[in-house]
Amino acid sequence: MTLGDGVFRTKRDLMLEYARSYPADRILAVFRANAGLDTRGARPPGGWETSDGNLRGHYGGHFLTLIAQAYADTREAALKTKLDYLVGALGECQRALAEHGSPEPSHPGYLAAYPETQFILLESYTTYPTIWAPYYTCHKIMRGLLDAHTLAGNAQALAIASAMGDWVHSRLGRLPKAQLDRMWSIYIAGEYGGMNEVMADLYALTGRAEHLAAARCFDNTALLDACAEDRDILEGRHANQHIPQFTGYLRLFDQTGEEEYATAARNFWGMVAGPRMYSLGGTGQGEMFRARGAIAATLDDKNAETCATYNMLKLTRQLFFHTPDASYMDYYERGLTNHILASRRDARSTSSPEVTYFVGMGPGVQRGYGNTGTCCGGTGMENHTKYQDSVYFRSADGTALYVNLYLASTLRWPERGIVIEQTGDYPAEGVRTLTFREGGGSLDLKLRVPSWATAGFTVTVNGVRQRTRAEPGTYLTLSRDWRPGDRVRISMPYRLRVERALDDPAVQSVFYGPVLLVAQSPEQQFRSFSFYKHFTLRGDLASAISPAGRPMHFTTHGLTLAPFFHGDDTPYHAYFTRAEPVVVFGAADSGVPNRARGDGLTFLDVLWAQAPFATSGDFVRAVRTLADTWLSEGLFTRAERDRVVTAATGANLRR
């Protein structure tokens, strides 16, 4: 699948320029130095990837994945040459370590950018920062090698990774379960990334029982058992240390059929996506999971580590393969559009990936870019060369095609002889068109109806409107015999809407369809917005928030609201506080306090959730009914109830 024109392709092209230009020898410098080989005068990349850094080598693994993905996308011969050079050099390092490593590795499959010491120290429970995360680094290298094999056909990469897998088994397969459990419970030092995932993937390729046994060695028993039982014990745990473990558990379920793995992964996802999710789709404060539902209480300049969203999207994708539920793709779209797309600076660079680490959600924060050599620099390189990986999925039997994301793209499905072109300007508003360029036949075309598509979802096939029910948060299925030239047009108008923080409904974000809008302001205090006094009978935020003359930009309260996916360094507010102190309908002010019920929703919140109102009479009846409820619950006095109804009757709101 290839990307079409648009912002996703533009961001990808920025990262492709970096991939093509960054010297392979700089990536290899730390590996060659550890193996006693000539570094060819190259300096390590920097950041955490230095000649003495305790995480050195991890960035090289990500770089392998970057180049493999870039080649799979573009088929540029120079990228394949670069990838093969990297793999060949790593093979030389693995052989050199086995033949004359100092100290000599415990197994000839060992490959890293530092001696085996960190792995030995972990087995005696040495903590960070004496050691960092040795198996995390191992995972990145192995993942990059497997990607070089599966995406670019490099057979040597599989041989190197398989030998590494043998080494992993030789170290961990002899350790008692209690020792492994204690190792994986250590903060950062016990972080192993997706070692269970990569070992399960390796087993699928090699069939070697040792590789599957090694994958099981990474069972983080206490957390695995808790999540399998749906007990939420995430508070205070390092988010990115644990998210990738659950993708690994799903892959272990694929290989073993043991339900505990899959149940734990599903439950874990539900503990993060929603209860611990900021409006952009990210999670965590200062790399840590906070209390369930603690959103407003944790907003600052160090929210939403970009690595964590990278791994949540991988987990979400794998969960969808098992249960094709639209809620997974709703989350995927949110995180991809509002965090990952926003994480790349809109500027060229051949020396830095120019991606974010934390993405603050507090008032007046700025995004910081760069991150050469960090964890988020590594995952960031990958993020922007795999946008297309979840746009389409096919069913296992080949009878259905899921259209998950509405990105401009061209799908080639060789097994069916089908080529489908999707056009549109997502994430901007507009019509999306799917055209069968080649092939066809009987096929269920499953179109995702996003949960935000509450203003309608209209589908035509060759100009004929389809009489199908489109329920937000589901898939709409078109079943027919398709022919070349068939055209499916999808219209899903955007609406302005707010999303409330779980722990304080007055703390809110503004969205336009799927797109997070941020208020541009350097002010360090939350801005206070009031909207209801501007509402008409439609109950639409469009009455209170005005277009700003640029696509998808708006103004309100003297501030510009801009799409967050633009990668700049303008200070912003992703959240604001909602101030609706008095029950007011247009110019009709009742003078009655807009009190909230137990769940934090105010009278006006509950009223306008019922909009639109067809007539003024419908509006007044809704106000009267709700005012009676507020009176019965002790939230209005009789006199206040009457004043609210009188104000509604005299408001004469326009349609």
Side-chain angles (χ1 to χ4, degrees):
M1 199 207 94
T2 56
L3 288 174
D5 290 338
V7 64
F8 286 90
R9 183 167 177 168
T10 299
K11 299 262 191 178
R12 182 211 63 177
D13 288 349
L14 290 171
M15 194 60 75
L16 283 179
E17 185 176 13
Y18 173 79
R20 296 182 185 109
S21 303
Y22 199 81
D25 285 333
R26 293 195 67 183
I27 295 295
L28 293 167
V30 290
F31 291 95
R32 285 171 167 159
N34 184 55
L37 300 176
D38 183 1
T39 62
R40 308 190 182 188
R43 294 177 294 106
W48 301 345
E49 193 77 2
T50 60
S51 59
D52 59 352
N54 275 350
L55 209 68
R56 61 189 184 273
H58 79 110
Y59 200 68
H62 288 295
F63 196 80
L64 282 172
T65 296
L66 164 67
I67 303 299
Q69 290 177 172
Y71 172 70
D73 183 7
T74 66
R75 292 296 171 183
E76 292 178 15
L79 289 169
K80 181 67 162 66
T81 299
K82 190 171 196 172
L83 184 64
D84 291 345
Y85 176 78
L86 286 160
V87 171
L90 290 175
E92 292 173 4
C93 291
Q94 190 179 49
R95 288 192 300 274
L97 286 169
E99 292 169 3
H100 50 75
S102 180
E104 182 182 352
S106 63
H107 186 282
Y110 181 71
L111 174 62
Y114 44 69
E116 206 170 356
T117 312
Q118 284 206 54
F119 297 93
I120 297 168
L121 289 172
L122 177 61
E123 292 170 15
S124 60
Y125 315 124
T126 303
T127 58
Y128 168 85
T130 302
I131 64 172
W132 274 37
Y135 281 101
Y136 174 96
T137 309
C138 180
H139 164 245
K140 304 310 173 191
I141 299 166
M142 292 187 69
R143 179 79 269 162
L145 288 164
L146 288 194
D147 289 339
H149 173 68
T150 58
L151 298 178
N154 187 299
Q156 185 185 7
L158 178 60
I160 297 169
S162 182
M164 290 181 72
D166 293 342
W167 166 80
V168 172
H169 182 259
S170 76
R171 282 221 72 88
L172 300 183
R174 59 183 174 77
L175 300 182
K177 190 71 176 70
Q179 184 175 2
L180 292 170
D181 284 343
R182 184 171 171 186
M183 286 162 56
W184 308 143
S185 70
I186 302 173
Y187 171 72
I188 292 186
E191 182 175 0
Y192 60 71
M195 276 301 304
N196 49 0
E197 175 198 10
V198 79
M199 292 304 304
D201 287 350
L202 182 62
Y203 168 72
L205 292 167
T206 67
R208 289 175 54 79
E210 295 88 346
H211 295 158
L212 183 60
R216 289 180 179 274
C217 288
F218 293 95
D219 284 2
N220 190 350
T221 308
L223 183 59
L224 174 62
D225 289 349
C227 289
E229 297 164 6
D230 208 15
R231 288 187 289 112
D232 189 335
I233 61 171
L234 298 186
E235 183 178 358
R237 294 178 182 265
H238 187 283
N240 201 51
Q241 180 167 345
H242 296 99
I243 297 169
Q245 296 176 6
F246 288 86
T247 304
Y249 295 145
L250 270 181
R251 295 296 291 125
L252 275 164
F253 168 72
D254 292 339
Q255 300 303 330
T256 69
E258 295 178 19
E259 284 289 343
E260 181 189 31
Y261 287 127
T263 301
R266 286 193 300 270
N267 290 342
F268 173 84
W269 187 90
M271 295 171 190
V272 179
R276 291 182 171 87
M277 182 185 73
Y278 300 108
S279 52
L280 83 168
T283 189
Q285 180 192 36
E287 298 194 2
M288 309 301 285
F289 284 128
R290 298 307 179 192
R292 190 182 182 98
I295 302 300
T298 59
L299 301 175
D300 63 14
D301 61 344
K302 288 184 171 58
N303 300 121
E305 183 186 6
T306 306
C307 272
T309 299
Y310 160 93
N311 277 310
M312 278 298 294
L313 295 188
K314 287 185 71 173
L315 174 59
T316 302
R317 186 173 189 266
Q318 291 291 328
L319 284 166
F320 186 92
F321 289 155
H322 294 84
T323 308
D325 188 322
S327 63
Y328 289 130
M329 281 300 145
D330 277 339
Y331 171 80
Y332 196 100
E333 177 185 65
R334 176 194 294 264
L336 185 72
T337 304
N338 298 302
H339 192 172
I340 300 305
L341 189 64
S343 69
R344 179 54 166 85
R345 188 200 295 272
D346 294 332
R348 298 174 63 184
S349 175
T350 58
S351 61
S352 165
E354 290 300 315
V355 293
T356 56
Y357 196 111
F358 294 117
V359 179
M361 291 282 98
V365 299
Q366 293 176 269
R367 276 169 285 183
Y369 304 93
N371 284 295
T372 295
T374 70
C375 56
C376 291
T379 56
M381 292 190 294
E382 299 180 30
N383 282 330
H384 306 285
T385 49
K386 63 171 186 176
Y387 285 128
Q388 62 268 53
D389 77 349
S390 296
V391 176
Y392 308 99
F393 292 148
R394 63 172 177 82
S395 62
D397 62 5
T399 63
L401 178 68
Y402 289 81
V403 182
N404 302 316
L405 303 171
Y406 294 99
L407 273 61
S409 54
T410 299
L411 170 70
R412 291 173 176 82
W413 188 354
E415 296 85 353
R416 290 285 308 261
I418 290 175
V419 177
I420 297 176
E421 181 184 19
Q422 181 176 177
T423 57
D425 197 23
Y426 182 88
E429 186 177 16
V431 172
R432 326 298 180 197
T433 302
L434 296 165
T435 304
F436 282 76
R437 294 300 185 192
E438 296 178 19
S442 178
L443 180 70
D444 291 342
L445 190 64
K446 293 181 174 291
L447 307 175
R448 185 174 69 90
V449 185
S451 60
W452 51 261
T454 57
F457 188 94
T458 304
V459 179
T460 66
V461 177
N462 300 329
V464 178
R465 181 167 178 173
Q466 303 301 291
R467 303 291 181 184
T468 54
R469 178 176 173 79
E471 184 70 29
T474 67
Y475 280 82
L476 182 154
T477 302
L478 300 178
S479 300
R480 60 184 284 149
D481 284 326
W482 301 92
R483 297 180 178 179
D486 281 347
R487 180 168 296 186
V488 180
R489 290 171 59 86
I490 305 152
S491 174
M492 40 185 155
Y494 288 5
R495 294 181 67 180
L496 290 161
R497 59 189 172 86
V498 297
E499 288 190 0
R500 300 175 172 89
L502 297 176
D503 50 341
D504 185 350
V507 175
Q508 303 179 0
S509 291
V510 178
F511 282 79
Y512 186 54
V515 177
L516 173 65
L517 301 177
V518 294
Q520 296 180 334
S521 168
E523 189 175 341
Q524 298 295 301
Q525 301 297 318
F526 285 103
R527 294 299 298 259
S528 182
F529 291 171
S530 177
F531 296 136
Y532 287 138
K533 61 188 176 185
H534 301 290
F535 275 21
T536 67
L537 293 178
R538 292 196 307 273
D540 195 328
L541 279 170
S543 303
I545 299 176
S546 304
R550 294 175 57 193
M552 301 185 72
H553 286 67
F554 300 85
T555 59
T556 189
H557 296 79
L559 298 176
T560 296
L561 300 179
F564 192 50
F565 61 76
H566 292 310
D568 58 32
D569 55 5
T570 304
Y572 60 88
H573 291 232
Y575 286 88
F576 60 90
T577 55
R578 189 72 172 267
E580 308 283 0
V582 180
V583 178
V584 177
F585 310 117
D589 187 342
S590 72
V592 175
N594 180 34
R595 298 190 186 96
R597 64 190 185 191
D599 62 2
L601 296 180
T602 68
F603 178 86
L604 290 175
D605 290 335
V606 178
L607 172 67
W608 287 111
Q610 302 172 53
F613 300 103
T615 66
S616 294
D618 291 336
F619 170 71
V620 172
R621 280 189 290 274
V623 171
R624 181 179 292 113
T625 299
L626 188 59
D628 288 341
T629 300
W630 246 240
L631 173 63
S632 68
E633 294 179 0
L635 297 171
F636 283 168
T637 65
R638 169 63 66 176
E640 288 173 335
R641 177 264 180 207
D642 292 346
R643 281 156 48 198
V644 166
V645 173
T646 299
T649 303
N652 193 28
L653 299 183
R654 58 187 173 83
R655 179 77 181 135

